[in-house]
Amino acid sequence: MAQIIVDPLTRIEGHLKVDVTVDGGVVTDARIGGMLWRGIEVILKDRDPRDAVTITQRICGVCPTAHALASTLCLDDAFGVATIVPDNGRIIRNLIMGANYLQSHILHFYHLTALDYVDVAAVATYDGASESLNAVKDFIGRGELGPFVPRYEGDYRLSAEQNQAAVEHYVQALDMRRISHELSAIYSGIMPHQKAVLPGGVTAVPTADNIAAFLWKLNQIRHFIDNVYIPDVLMVAGAYPDYFAIGKGCGNYMSYGVFDLQSGQSDPITRDRLLKQGRISEDLDLISLDIRRITEDVTHSWYSSNSGLHPSVGETEPDPQKAGAYSWLKSPRYEGIVYEVGPLSRMLVSYGAGEPTVQTLVNNTLTALGADATALFSVLGRHAARALEAKFIADKMAEWVLELNPNEPVYAEASVPGQSTGAGIWEGPRGSLGHWINIEGGKIKNYQCVVPTTWNCSPMDDQGKHGPTEQALIGTTIQDEENPFEIGRIVRSFDPCIACAVHMLTPKGRELKRFRVV
Ligand code: NFE
Ligand code: MG
């Protein structure tokens, strides 16, 4: 029996510790922990509710837009303005959010996970004229190997030409991410930490000029998704087909739905959305969702708060010495059931809901891979779902921007009530995101965020059931315990973001934990 600790697991956002027990070459137990606490929910107490849109965006630099939208929807609900947000406001919110999805999905595939499959060392022998490859070659030649090392060795399967092409796309993807930020900034003013989305609508005004500029930039990204990103995912899938059978996880998938398709809707969960709401398992039969059934357990989390509370009455009392705890993440559950969230869950829920474009995209991809639906529940299924979702959203954005009307309003007057409650239910790039607020005396009495990575990387719950990523690790065969590349590939397929999930440095900088970097 061996214990493998990877702490921190690199090339993700934040500090995640992976601790697995391997017996006879198979993972028999897994515990993953978020190792830093930031207390954003505590910072929000007693503030003006409108501050939530600004402050919750600071949870994360990768997906601040998701937090801006969830907090704004939460305040729309609490302020009683959800039904009067004008069409332009709804559409510009979708465009700003969509730009962040494109940036985030391209970031994840190329810069956070591709190096698990692509051997950057192949560039050392490159003798062609590509400017970007020669720049990487010079970089490696100077011995400047970060961010390409540390890495596990021994299972790189692409040809030298495939590796070189993928590294060239790695560099090109940096440009695509910049263009995605610029795309957002056309309406959000700045990115990250956009300025335009606020309760009642947005502050940005559509014009013929900015609509044309948006389409021009968007089409560059669409070209990259169609001709580079999706083909690269298929290339990796072709070389690593065993990863269609590795890293399945809990087998339950959930989506809150994202991108409102109609104005005038108030119910946070039954709105007409592009990507659908619901829960689904491997039988692909869709079942409905009721956000009142969500709770967060803390038995194995460093909190002294009560366990099993609904987020509307959630508590965040840190207890770094708590016995039996191993994570700053709480364990969100739906009626006690473990759910995976993210692009795979959204694609499966929309597929099960009969969304025709999603069905076509998924069916065509499975045919191209010669795979059946069971292949979706895997490491490569998550990567394929993310790439197909990027295409689906980008193509829709090109339609939405033409629905803007420069002569119509973007905002409806919204004011802070003395007493109210609200919920903002949305999907960040990494999955289901909920914000809940309780307002008293015109100030925030309580604010709770339950974020995608909290679902996916949750520790064991009160019943001892492991979180989705832990379950994806358990049962995996580790080919070489000195180079356990399966661990990184499985965990990174969920695209974890610990900054979001543990929303410590104590105010006085007291040391809480020493890290061993493996
Ligand atoms: Ni920090 Fe986030 C997304 C949100 S994550 S990246 O997507 O919401 O868990
Ligand atoms: Mg929380």
Side-chain angles (χ1 to χ4, degrees), residues 13 60 62-63 66-67 104 428-431 433 451-454 497 499-501:
E13 162 55 49
C60 184
V62 182
C63 71
H67 291 288
S104 185
R430 285 157 197 74
L433 173 64
V451 318
T453 297
T454 324
C497 175
C500 273

Side-chain angles (χ1 to χ4, degrees), residues 32 44 107 176 230 270 318 333 367 403 424 434 454 466 471 484 502:
I32 62 173
L44 283 162
L107 158 75
M176 291 302 129
I230 291 177
T270 60
R333 297 290 185 258
T367 304
E403 293 170 10
T454 324
H466 287 277
Q471 289 193 34
V502 187

Side-chain angles (χ1 to χ4, degrees), residues 3-10 12 14-20 30-36 302 325-327 329 457 469-470 473 487 491 498 513-516:
Q3 186 185 30
I4 301 175
I5 297 176
V6 186
D7 179 13
L9 187 101
T10 50
I12 62 165
H15 293 71
L16 185 76
K17 175 180 178 179
V18 179
D19 181 346
V20 301
R31 293 180 180 216
I32 62 173
M35 306 311 281
L36 288 176
W302 284 302
Y326 61 93
S327 183
L329 277 65
C457 291
T469 310
E470 292 179 336
L473 288 164
I487 293 175
V491 175
I498 307 309
K513 186 94 187 155
R514 277 186 178 273
F515 294 100
R516 183 166 68 91

Side-chain angles (χ1 to χ4, degrees), residues 41 296 330 448-450 503:
E41 291 158 328
E296 284 193 299
K330 300 177 185 175
Q448 290 283 311
C449 311
V450 182
H503 13 255

Side-chain angles (χ1 to χ4, degrees), residues 3-11 16-20 113-121 147-157 240 243 473 478-492 516-518:
Q3 186 185 30
I4 301 175
I5 297 176
V6 186
D7 179 13
L9 187 101
T10 50
R11 280 193 275 112
L16 185 76
K17 175 180 178 179
V18 179
D19 181 346
V20 301
T113 207
L115 299 179
D116 292 344
Y117 306 94
V118 172
D119 183 5
V120 77
F148 307 126
V149 292
R151 66 179 196 175
Y152 292 126
E153 304 288 344
D155 189 36
Y156 289 111
R157 307 181 196 168
Y240 296 84
Y243 279 82
L473 288 164
I478 303 292
Q479 289 178 29
D480 171 7
E481 289 174 18
E482 295 302 311
N483 281 294
F485 36 78
E486 295 90 350
I487 293 175
R489 288 174 180 166
I490 291 171
V491 175
R492 282 191 277 266
R516 183 166 68 91
V517 180
V518 180

